[in-house]
Amino acid sequence: MSDSCIFCKIARGEIPSYKVYEDDVVLAFLDVNPSSRGHTLVVPKEHFDDMTKCPKDILDYCFEVAQLIAQAQIKELGATGANVLTNIGKSAGQSVRHFHIHVIPRYDNDGLKLAFPPKQLEDKEMLLIQDSISKGL
Ligand code: 5GP
Ligand code: ZN
């Protein structure tokens, strides 16, 4: 738990939120600035700065809950898909340093654009990258 962390405060009930699911380990609540109707955040109640810092059992459980949320969005809100993502670090757009998973329901022709502009890298560079990431595992 961190005194200044906004999601820790939400987990402790010190800041109100629109909760959709809660148990001893995980809380899921509506994003205050939703990208689509039903945009939900899944967070562990314990504080971890980001996904890379979260122990595997808790991480797995958070994704299990994220799956349930996406299923409920499709079943109950009429969503036709969802984007499930987590930002790691400032460079990736993480603004709240408490691990969270965005579950963003999608609707046909909703106009929402999550941009991943394509880049072309040379074969040599791709091989170097492949080697580096494999080595780091
Ligand atoms: P990030 O950019 O860190 O991946 O996402 C943080 C998300 O938390 C943002 O989408 C933002 O709208 C949401 N958020 C920030 N503060 C609050 C808050 O106090 N309550 C709720 N419900 N959502 C918040
Ligand atoms: Zn926190």
Side-chain angles (χ1 to χ4, degrees):
M1 287 282 184
S2 153
D3 282 350
S4 58
C5 171
I6 192 126
F7 287 177
C8 282
K9 286 184 182 168
I10 288 175
R12 288 196 295 262
E14 293 167 16
I15 291 180
S17 66
Y18 294 96
K19 292 177 192 175
V20 298
Y21 178 78
E22 181 171 23
D23 63 27
D24 289 347
V25 179
V26 164
L27 178 66
F29 54 95
L30 300 184
D31 195 296
V32 75
N33 290 127
S35 294
S36 71
R37 187 168 174 273
H39 182 169
T40 301
L41 302 173
V42 179
V43 309
K45 287 192 167 174
E46 195 176 337
H47 181 99
F48 305 101
D49 281 352
D50 62 46
M51 191 187 92
T52 66
K53 306 289 193 313
C54 186
K56 187 182 175 321
D57 55 339
I58 297 179
L59 181 66
D60 288 351
Y61 186 52
C62 287
F63 274 97
E64 234 178 270
V65 172
Q67 182 194 42
L68 291 175
I69 300 292
Q71 288 167 341
Q73 290 167 342
I74 289 166
K75 191 167 156 225
E76 303 294 340
L77 293 181
T80 50
N83 293 107
V84 177
L85 61 96
T86 184
N87 296 323
I88 303 172
K90 216 173 175 179
S91 60
Q94 187 181 10
S95 60
V96 177
R97 284 295 275 168
H98 178 129
F99 167 50
H100 53 281
I101 303 169
H102 294 262
V103 188
I104 306 170
R106 299 300 304 269
Y107 304 90
D108 291 348
N109 306 312
D110 63 12
L112 183 60
K113 294 230 180 328
L114 302 176
F116 297 101
K119 279 196 171 63
Q120 291 292 329
L121 295 182
E122 302 211 343
D123 188 46
K124 208 173 102 192
E125 181 69 355
M126 293 291 268
L127 288 168
L128 276 174
I129 295 166
Q130 177 189 31
D131 191 47
S132 301
I133 294 175
S134 303
K135 241 177 18 205
L137 299 178

